[in-house]
Amino acid sequence: AIAAAGAGLGGKGESKGNAEDRLLFNYSAPRHSFPETSVWAAHPCNTSQLNPLDRMERYFGRDWREADNSCAQTPWVDQSNCMTNACGPPSTGALFVIDSNLESRMGLGQRWKLGPVPYGRIYLQQSLAHRLMVQEGDMVVIKMQVRDLVEVVASTATSQNLGGVNAELYKAATHVMLALQVDTVFEEGLGKFDHELTDIMVIEYPHFFGMVSDAMVPGAERLSADFARTDSYALAQTINFNFPPPRVGAYMSHDYGQVRANVLKFVGRLSAILGYDKVQVSMTLLRELQELRVVSMFLSL
């Protein structure tokens, strides 16, 4: 089951479950996802215009002090920002922020053999790496929209400063550019991600807020400090839950109705604990089993 915050981003909250519930729902892992993340390869960039590994120049270009440096005016707009001017149009991919250790513990993607992504590095799916013409060890720059996070993380004083005194800085701060080294190129999601997804990128959850803090647009130091001191585990976008082992027992029935009843009982209790009005729950595996059931019915005719 995947629990997503019903409005905004979810917090830890207080568990309303008993000891049995805590044991039942102990196998979980948080995630963030950014489905339309821009990404540039660093090697084709015109270094006379900017150094893509320099934080100031990623946002504002090398001539950021010049009044006619138009690309520095809108660093959040891919069509006209300094990265596009120097490096060409970006590709796009689906960025996932995962906790590798927690997901391994809960059995999410058992065929996935890669370990945690090191700080400052990224995993790229082969299709995206091929399009960018990068390989392991190369540098890329990603730009993701983090407005929802900024609205929750920013302290009151920071929000007033960014939203009121300097609206343009606020826009820039809601789009973060990170320079990352390609650690591993992988072919398939292997049960870790939706099989229909392509061009996947992966970074590690425990490093996420620290990397965002380090890469924040120059001038947003107070917001950067807010990210640095925020517990990222209190602000999960989604949380994946799994049955405790041996979990296969919940699905070992030829009767789809019985399997459905087992899963709905689990999900119903989970929703009651988290709060029906606070979360949206989806059941991806049960949906796939239902599709297989329909296919099996047609084959048996």
Side-chain angles (χ1 to χ4, degrees), residues 222-275:
R222 285 200 286 181
L223 180 59
S224 174
D226 286 339
F227 269 91
R229 59 173 168 257
T230 298
D231 178 8
S232 61
Y233 287 88
L235 294 175
Q237 186 184 57
T238 60
I239 304 175
N240 290 276
F241 288 89
N242 204 353
F243 286 104
R247 57 185 60 92
V248 70
Y251 299 97
M252 292 301 291
S253 173
H254 295 293
D255 183 356
Y256 170 77
Q258 182 59 53
V259 173
R260 182 173 180 272
N262 293 338
V263 174
L264 290 180
K265 180 180 178 181
F266 176 85
V267 171
R269 183 57 187 159
L270 174 64
S271 300
I273 292 172
L274 296 177

Side-chain angles (χ1 to χ4, degrees), residues 114-280:
L114 298 177
V117 189
Y119 190 96
R121 299 196 179 191
I122 190 169
Y123 294 165
L124 293 184
Q125 193 168 16
Q126 190 174 58
S127 57
L128 181 58
H130 179 75
R131 194 160 70 252
L132 291 169
M133 294 187 291
V134 298
Q135 57 188 355
E136 294 172 1
D138 288 342
M139 298 297 296
V140 297
V141 173
I142 67 171
K143 182 178 74 66
M144 55 187 173
Q145 207 240 61
V146 293
R147 177 174 296 172
D148 288 345
L149 282 172
V150 167
E151 290 176 352
V152 177
V153 168
S155 66
T156 301
T158 302
S159 298
Q160 291 173 347
N161 177 60
L162 290 175
V165 177
N166 194 337
E168 296 303 303
L169 181 59
Y170 178 84
K171 289 181 182 179
T174 58
H175 295 78
V176 176
M177 296 188 190
L178 289 84
L180 302 168
Q181 186 177 37
V182 179
D183 184 89
T184 301
V185 176
F186 64 93
E187 292 187 17
E188 300 178 8
L190 300 175
K192 201 77 163 175
F193 310 101
D194 190 317
H195 67 277
E196 295 180 354
L197 282 177
T198 58
D199 301 337
I200 295 169
M201 300 176 278
V202 184
I203 59 178
E204 198 66 28
Y205 200 102
H207 308 323
F208 179 47
F209 274 24
M211 291 196 298
V212 168
S213 174
D214 291 342
M216 191 69 64
V217 61
E221 281 70 25
R222 285 200 286 181
L223 180 59
S224 174
D226 286 339
F227 269 91
R229 59 173 168 257
T230 298
D231 178 8
S232 61
Y233 287 88
L235 294 175
Q237 186 184 57
T238 60
I239 304 175
N240 290 276
F241 288 89
N242 204 353
F243 286 104
R247 57 185 60 92
V248 70
Y251 299 97
M252 292 301 291
S253 173
H254 295 293
D255 183 356
Y256 170 77
Q258 182 59 53
V259 173
R260 182 173 180 272
N262 293 338
V263 174
L264 290 180
K265 180 180 178 181
F266 176 85
V267 171
R269 183 57 187 159
L270 174 64
S271 300
I273 292 172
L274 296 177
Y276 290 105
D277 59 330
K278 295 181 175 64
V279 296
Q280 300 169 348

